[in-house]
Amino acid sequence: MPNLWIIFTTGLLTGGVTCVAVQGGLLAGALAQMSNVQYSMFNKILGTVSFLVSKLVAYTILGFLLGWVGSRVQLSLTGQGVLQMLVAVYMLGVGAALLDVHPFFRHFILQPPRFLTRWIRGQSKSGDLFAPAILGAATVFVPCGTTQAMMALAVGSGNPGWGAAIMGVFVLGTSPVFLGLGLAMARLGQKVMKVTAWAVVAMAIWTLNTAGVMLGSPISIQSALAKAECVISFCSPVGESGQAADQVTVGISRAGYSVSNAVRAGKEIKMTLTNTDGRGCQQAVNIPALGISKVIRPGQREEISFKAPDKPGKLQVTCSMGMFTGELQVI
Amino acid sequence: MIKKIYKLSGLHCTSCSMLIEGELEDQLGVRAACNWAKQVVEIEGEADHQMIVKVIEEQGYKVVGEA
């Protein structure tokens, strides 16, 4: 799950370029209609704030629904992995479209139906007191490319709460530019678009990594970092020092998973899962290759037994979101 | 009803096509359908060529030719 700060920053950048290009114009049109001379400035501020608040509420609800949709798909860890893979591929396509890598990728960014954009433009000219608020909510029907990538991320979170957080934080990020605070950003145009595109690509790569971890891939950013740490600290990875046993302990903590020792191929193994202070998704321990999924609450311990694969190798231990990982050596 | 198709460049997202459609329809009273993926805009109605190019380029996009 990409960091919410990265999502906020992406919103900050995106808001300056794509959102304000269209939505800013619509809002300005709506404000111009409703500002009679007497309360002109007050109306403008009130209109802008009501636009932003209703947009934030609408997108947070949308994010909640998208996260809920994602959670319906997540029957198993494999289901989650496949969903994350699809989300990552889609986001890479959006990133490539924003970077104008090839016209083909433009199809990844869906163009909203024309009757909707015309209805929304009509709203901005209605002069109705509530036009800015209606407009703000209606922007969920005309999401720009980056917004569509964030919507995919919300689905991929597979959790209504996370989905709402992703879309809410992203829209919060797009808000300052509407208050005129980021006008300089709007003028930077193309440069900021490239940075936004690379932010989407970076999130796509992280999502791809999460998908790989969930599907039990031994290759991941986490395992590469763990190896690098081992090289730097001259440590000998668990298991390569020759000791293997038929019992193994997996320690679960805030830092993730620590596997006590390697296990012997083909043997009946007794694994003790001990959670000291792991309060996040670490509680949901998965060994995809063995189809093992257990939830161990903080302060709890549980024993499971399984038959180790006949072939030596490395089994990935992962949390339910593919963020925390560990490695069980089979020798 | 006259129909013209213009090839564009510089669009980087669907927001751009919405912007172009909006401005053409609001300023020139034509019917505009801009396709972001193909980077073309189809215009239905009476409008002077120079004015069409002006409205589009004011938004920061280029007209690269007629189809």
Side-chain angles (χ1 to χ4, degrees):
Chain A
M1 186 51 48
N3 181 301
L4 288 179
W5 277 111
I6 293 176
I7 291 171
F8 178 78
T9 313
T10 306
L12 210 57
L13 298 172
T14 309
V17 182
T18 48
C19 282
V20 86
V22 172
Q23 298 170 16
L26 293 170
L27 175 58
L31 296 179
Q33 296 285 337
M34 59 187 282
S35 57
N36 59 49
V37 177
Q38 213 173 357
Y39 304 110
S40 170
M41 186 41 76
F42 175 74
N43 273 344
K44 279 204 169 108
I45 294 169
L46 182 68
T48 305
V49 170
S50 64
F51 171 87
L52 293 174
V53 168
S54 72
K55 180 180 173 187
L56 180 61
V57 169
Y59 268 102
T60 304
I61 293 169
L62 175 66
F64 184 88
L65 295 175
L66 293 171
W68 179 80
V69 166
S71 69
R72 292 304 91 194
V73 174
Q74 315 220 15
L75 309 174
S76 65
L77 198 69
T78 311
Q80 288 177 48
V82 170
L83 175 68
Q84 295 277 334
M85 191 73 77
L86 294 173
V87 166
V89 167
Y90 176 73
M91 288 177 73
L92 282 172
V94 169
L98 297 176
L99 290 168
D100 210 8
V101 169
H102 186 276
F104 164 75
F105 292 108
R106 290 181 196 145
H107 297 288
F108 278 84
I109 301 180
L110 312 177
Q111 185 156 346
R114 225 152 260 127
F115 74 87
L116 266 180
T117 51
R118 286 200 178 107
W119 173 75
I120 287 173
R121 276 212 319 277
Q123 274 303 314
S124 86
K125 295 188 201 108
S126 67
D128 185 312
L129 185 64
F130 296 104
I134 294 167
L135 264 180
T139 54
V140 294
F141 298 123
V142 286
C144 70
T146 313
T147 306
Q148 290 180 35
M150 294 303 113
M151 289 162 72
L153 209 54
V155 173
S157 73
N159 175 297
W162 264 109
I166 288 168
M167 293 316 297
V169 160
F170 175 72
V171 165
L172 267 181
T174 66
S175 301
V177 85
F178 287 91
L179 295 165
L181 307 183
L183 286 183
M185 192 87 74
R187 270 186 221 103
L188 286 176
Q190 285 309 324
K191 286 189 209 65
V192 170
M193 172 52 70
K194 293 275 184 266
V195 174
T196 303
W198 283 112
V200 170
V201 169
M203 277 185 263
I205 289 166
W206 179 259
T207 306
L208 204 59
N209 177 74
T210 301
V213 168
M214 285 177 168
L215 295 170
S217 156
I219 302 159
S220 68
I221 294 171
Q222 292 95 330
S223 62
L225 290 177
K227 269 191 196 75
E229 193 191 335
C230 240
V231 167
I232 295 166
S233 58
F234 303 105
C235 81
S236 62
V238 172
E240 278 176 16
S241 56
Q243 8 105 346
D246 300 348
Q247 296 194 356
V248 62
T249 301
V250 176
I252 307 163
S253 68
R254 246 181 309 180
Y257 302 115
S258 60
V259 180
S260 59
N261 52 275
V263 296
R264 287 191 289 174
K267 297 290 183 196
E268 196 58 35
I269 305 299
K270 191 176 288 178
M271 175 180 275
T272 306
L273 299 158
T274 309
N275 186 345
T276 46
D277 64 352
R279 297 191 189 289
C281 61
Q282 312 92 327
Q283 300 176 64
V285 190
N286 299 273
I287 306 178
L290 300 177
I292 291 174
S293 269
K294 283 285 173 191
V295 177
I296 315 292
R297 300 292 176 201
Q300 283 190 358
R301 156 211 296 260
E302 186 169 334
E303 272 186 12
I304 58 172
S305 56
F306 57 87
K307 183 173 179 295
D310 298 327
K311 224 174 91 199
K314 292 173 186 168
L315 301 180
Q316 295 305 305
V317 182
T318 173
C319 72
S320 57
M321 297 177 82
M323 294 166 70
F324 295 94
T325 60
E327 209 165 69
L328 176 63
Q329 297 253 358
V330 178
I331 54 178
Chain B
M1 181 75 75
I2 301 172
K3 196 181 266 190
K4 291 182 196 164
I5 298 178
Y6 288 85
K7 284 191 223 160
L8 309 174
S9 76
L11 281 71
H12 43 68
C13 176
T14 48
S15 295
C16 306
S17 46
M18 284 185 256
L19 193 58
I20 291 168
E21 284 171 4
E23 292 305 320
L24 286 170
E25 292 189 349
D26 288 352
Q27 294 191 38
L28 303 182
V30 292
R31 194 86 169 158
C34 181
N35 186 309
W36 128 258
K38 294 180 185 141
Q39 310 243 317
V40 295
V41 61
E42 190 178 291
I43 294 167
E44 237 177 283
E46 300 284 338
D48 169 59
H49 172 77
Q50 303 304 332
M51 281 306 292
I52 290 171
V53 173
K54 177 174 169 285
V55 168
I56 292 172
E57 297 200 336
E58 262 171 13
Q59 306 309 314
Y61 308 104
K62 281 262 171 299
V63 175
V64 296
E66 284 194 51

